């Protein structure tokens, strides 16, 4: 395996482990500090606001700066974010920590995914590799958060800060690829409206909504169902393990196989999330529901950027991935905010069930994606 591939995959494991710890520890710490479930949703949404804003600008920024600099900056920002959250839950620094987390997510996922699709491998295979590595980190992180957080949630976030610092090392070992140079005969219009890219963007909506709920109201629902911190950590890791499997299953697909994975991913991701909200008091059933939803989300996380990058010129791949990421970030914002609004008048479980409907919605784009694939093959 090439040094660059090892660096990209290793960085994804360490960064995602740090992020996985934060995804469990931050909402639980906020709840125990006295924030209401609705306030937790708003705070988590701040991270999505920052991520969406950063992703909207990355298409242009990547024409000026090489992708590895974004990966390195992401590790630094995540370390600072976790350290701030560990030190205080006062509203201003806590909110700032979540804003920094959002920017770090945008920089890492766009930078790392763009980096791996610039080689000679197929886009879906390269993306599957880095997504699998990231899923390993997201599998380990929540378990660490549960075990360490059972004694001290701030200590769990301090460990996450150390891991984020270690992620700087593989970022420095990535190949120094030049910034993108857009083609002269570029197709006019916004890139997210192009056939193939549009479906990839809506796949990002489903996977982003799933990730937003997993990092906010899934732990809240389990906490309200009186599940222990270690149990919550294990259940979140079950979801992330299933996401890993979902990413791996689509790694060798192409053409119509990607279309079927798109449809199946939206349906299982949404229905599994909706079911989890109704069975949170039963750890086994909640684990099954999270596993089903994770399989769908994992497939979409790879399929979305893959179909988008395959639909554009090689020098536009960074912009296409940034577009899918912006849609994903928007869903990361809308899902917790929408759930925060619902929990003011309804139980958390019902709010999660409604969130599952948001994840299913993009299945409506299956037909247009199938038509695009047929046109490219003909």
């Amino acid at each position: 395996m090439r040094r660059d591939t090892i660096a990209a995959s290793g960085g994804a494991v360490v960064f995602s482990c740090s992020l996985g710890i934060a995804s469990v520890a931050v909402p639980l710490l906020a709840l125990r500090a006295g924030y209401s479930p609705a306030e937790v949703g708003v705070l988590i949404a701040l991270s999505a606001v920052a991520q969406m804003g950063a992703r909207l600008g990355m298409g242009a920024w990547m024409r000026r700066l090489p992708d590895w600099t974004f990966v390195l900056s992401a590790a630094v920002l995540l370390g600072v974010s976790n350290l701030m959250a560990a030190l205080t839950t006062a509203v201003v620094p806590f909110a700032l920590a979540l804003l920094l987390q959002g920017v770090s997510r945008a920089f890492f996922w766009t930078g790392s995914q763009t980096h791996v699709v610039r080689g000679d491998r197929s886009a879906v295979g390269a993306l599957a590799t880095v997504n699998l590595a990231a899923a390993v980190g997201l599998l380990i992180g929540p378990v660490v958060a549960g075990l360490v957080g059972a004694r001290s949630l701030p200590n769990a976030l301090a460990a996450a800060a150390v891991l984020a610092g270690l992620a700087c090392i593989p970022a420095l070992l990535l190949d120094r690829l030049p910034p993108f140079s857009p083609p002269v005969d570029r197709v006019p219009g916004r890139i997210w409206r192009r056939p193939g890219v549009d479906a990839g963007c809506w796949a990002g909506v489903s996977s982003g909504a799933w990730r937003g709920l997993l990092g906010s109201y899934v732990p809240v629902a389990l906490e309200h169902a009186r599940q222990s911190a270690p149990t919550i950590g294990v259940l979140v890791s079950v979801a992330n393990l299933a996401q890993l499997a979902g990413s791996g299953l689509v790694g060798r697909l192409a053409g119509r196989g990607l279309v079927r994975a798109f449809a199946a991913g939206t349906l299982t991701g949404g229905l599994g999330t909706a079911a989890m909200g109704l069975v949170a008091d039963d750890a086994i059933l909640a684990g099954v529901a999270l596993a089903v939803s994770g399989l769908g989300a994992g497939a979409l996380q790879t399929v979305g950027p893959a179909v988008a990058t395959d639909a554009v010129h090689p020098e536009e791949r960074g912009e296409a991935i940034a577009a899918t990421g912006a849609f994903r970030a928007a869903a990361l914002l809308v899902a917790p905010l929408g759930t925060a609004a619902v929990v003011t008048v309804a139980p958390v479980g019902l709010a999660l069930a409604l969130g599952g409907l948001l994840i299913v919605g993009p299945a409506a784009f299956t037909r247009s994606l199938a038509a695009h694939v047929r046109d490219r093959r003909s």
Side-chain angles (χ1 to χ4, degrees), residues 71 93 142 145 151 165 177 186 188-189 238 244 247 311 331 342:
V71 179
R151 295 186 176 183
L177 301 177
R186 175 186 169 88
V238 166
L244 184 154
S247 291
V342 174

Side-chain angles (χ1 to χ4, degrees), residues 86-158:
L87 293 175
T88 178
T89 55
V91 64
V92 173
F94 201 68
L96 180 57
L98 286 165
L99 288 170
L100 292 177
Q101 184 194 98
V103 176
S104 74
R105 286 186 180 204
F107 282 6
F108 184 83
W109 299 122
T110 304
S112 60
Q113 289 181 338
T114 297
H115 185 84
V116 299
V117 300
R118 300 180 75 179
D120 52 6
R121 295 181 59 190
S122 70
V124 67
L127 288 166
T129 299
V130 74
N131 286 341
L132 281 169
V136 170
L138 290 172
L139 171 65
I140 298 170
V143 174
V144 174
L147 294 175
V148 180
R151 295 186 176 183
S152 172
L153 289 169
N155 284 350
L157 285 168

Side-chain angles (χ1 to χ4, degrees), residues 203-274:
V205 169
S206 288
S207 63
W210 181 83
R211 175 55 60 188
L213 293 175
L214 189 69
S216 58
Y217 280 100
V218 166
V220 170
L222 293 170
E223 174 94 347
H224 278 209
R226 299 183 179 180
Q227 303 290 353
S228 66
T231 299
I232 294 172
V234 170
L235 288 173
V236 173
S237 284
V238 166
N240 287 320
L241 178 60
Q243 183 189 29
L244 184 154
S247 291
L249 288 172
V250 301
R252 295 182 180 276
L253 297 180
R256 293 178 181 175
L258 290 176
V259 177
R260 288 190 289 269
F262 175 85
T266 53
L267 292 174
T268 57
L271 295 177
T273 301

